[in-house]
Amino acid sequence: MREHGGDLDAAAARYGGDPADWIDLSTGINRQPWPMPDLPEAVTRALPTRALTEAAMAAARSAYRTDAPGLALAGAQAAIQLVPLLRPRGLARVLSPTYNEHAGALDAAGWHVETPAAPEDLAGADVAVVVNPNNPDGRAHDPAALRALAAQVGLLVVDESFADPEPQLSLLPDLPPEGVLVLRSFGKFYGQAGLRLGFAFGAEADIARMRALAGPWAASGPALAAGAQALADSGWRSRAVDRLAAGAERLDALATGAGWRLAGGTTQFRLYDVGDGQAARARLARHRIWSRAFAARPEWLRLGLPGPEHEWRRLAEALR
């Protein structure tokens, strides 16, 4: 089993309470989501149409500032599962520590996977993976450096799942025509992860291969319809970016006041050195607040940002 955030059922089974009573800060999913409208009945009753898919893709290209070939999928995770099938099996290098599904999917597909810590050590790989900004430590990589790296590997996969608040990090406005695949998540920034919507952008041949592997209806009608509206809502996006930035500062103040040391993060999640991550996680769990600990880095604890004010009050009380 690969470690993830979420899974409130397991939290409640271990520490008690109903999952509905918990505040899940174990992921980086925005807890003040884009407000879902009532969707037309047709998007749940009928198979997704070409027009619906094209509308979602047009909104995604506008929001992400790209005209590159792309594909809508059931979350960035669906793209991660397809990456190992885009090239013949060989050597994959995943810049680490990072989201563990990249190495996990490649390993499960029979690739030889290495996990270097320095970007320059990715050179020479048949497939190289960089998460930008990185999860869980928020490490950021300059797009120019990534374009240079792309010339030194077979296929560079850049996971931009947390890049919405930091558009200056994205490769998409000036995506190389070959050798780079960029993944985007809809659910994390827009806070509607249950819809399962994400996008892949890259060379036409790679996108065509992914489309064939994903099969028809790779994203659901409700996800496409909601995504098209949300991605076009530039006013909400701008307000959310400002709100998340302020929330990250507020969370850091609470955490450092409790004696924790900031170890990194983005405006959607913060990473702290707490000495004993499992003990800190258990402390918060007694207040029905779920967080993310790391077996490989026992001193770390990651927290997403609370949403409504009552969640901030509960976290402040737990940290006192």
Side-chain angles (χ1 to χ4, degrees), residues 52-64 66 68-80 82-83 157-161 164 172 181-188 190 196-202 207 210 218-220 223-232:
L52 190 60
T53 302
E54 290 177 349
M57 287 305 309
R61 288 192 176 94
S62 178
Y64 301 145
T66 187
L71 175 66
L73 294 157
Q77 183 62 45
I80 291 171
L82 297 178
V83 164
V157 179
V158 182
D159 183 343
E160 297 184 356
S161 287
D164 289 77
L172 286 174
L181 185 72
V182 173
L183 313 183
R184 297 294 295 234
S185 168
F186 170 80
K188 293 179 177 66
Y190 289 90
R196 306 309 306 134
L197 180 63
F199 301 91
F201 296 93
I207 296 302
M210 294 184 83
S220 74
L224 293 168
Q229 293 186 50
L231 288 161

Side-chain angles (χ1 to χ4, degrees), residues 3 96-98 117 136-137 139 261 263 271-278 292-302:
E3 295 178 323
S96 299
T98 195
D137 60 11
R139 179 166 47 158
R261 184 181 65 82
L271 183 70
Y272 301 104
D273 184 333
V274 299
D276 185 338
Q278 292 295 341
R292 173 80 158 88
F294 300 84
R297 296 297 298 264
E299 75 278 16
W300 279 359
L301 191 77
R302 193 190 67 194

